[in-house]
Amino acid sequence: MAEAEFRWTVPADHPAFPGHFSGRPIVPGVVLLDRALLFAEEMLGRPGLAWQVGNAKFFSPVGPEEALTFSLTQKTSGAIAFTVRASTREVAAGSLTPPAP
């Protein structure tokens, strides 16, 4: 089983902000999922996979320039559990399943 941590600071000029939301920009959940997928591929050394999202929960909004920590753990089934934190605040969690090799 593999484990890894990745850090990502949300760029203030991220292209998702203009539509989410006027006056109080937040990172859409799909952007957090995309980052988790990219970090999972990096952890496994297998880019371009067709992932399945087993589940995803979003607990707290994320704004521009927030520093996030993505913690990933590969389970014996091959699925990857992830959590996303902004300092001590839990932001999101879920699981990802890569295609069979």
Side-chain angles (χ1 to χ4, degrees), residues 12-101:
D13 62 350
H14 193 283
F17 287 138
H20 295 89
F21 290 96
S22 182
R24 185 169 189 260
I26 63 168
V27 176
V30 69
V31 172
L32 298 176
L33 281 175
D34 183 59
R35 280 279 137 188
L37 291 169
L38 291 171
F39 291 143
E41 290 176 350
E42 186 175 331
M43 182 177 83
L44 297 177
R46 295 174 57 199
L49 298 178
W51 292 89
Q52 251 185 343
V53 177
N55 63 62
K57 295 182 181 185
F58 304 95
F59 306 113
S60 180
V62 175
E65 299 183 344
E66 281 201 69
L68 303 176
T69 301
F70 289 72
S71 299
L72 285 72
T73 303
Q74 187 176 27
K75 304 297 184 183
T76 54
S77 66
I80 294 178
F82 70 90
T83 60
V84 184
R85 300 186 80 73
S87 187
T88 60
R89 187 177 95 243
E90 190 170 21
V91 170
S95 67
L96 309 168
T97 305

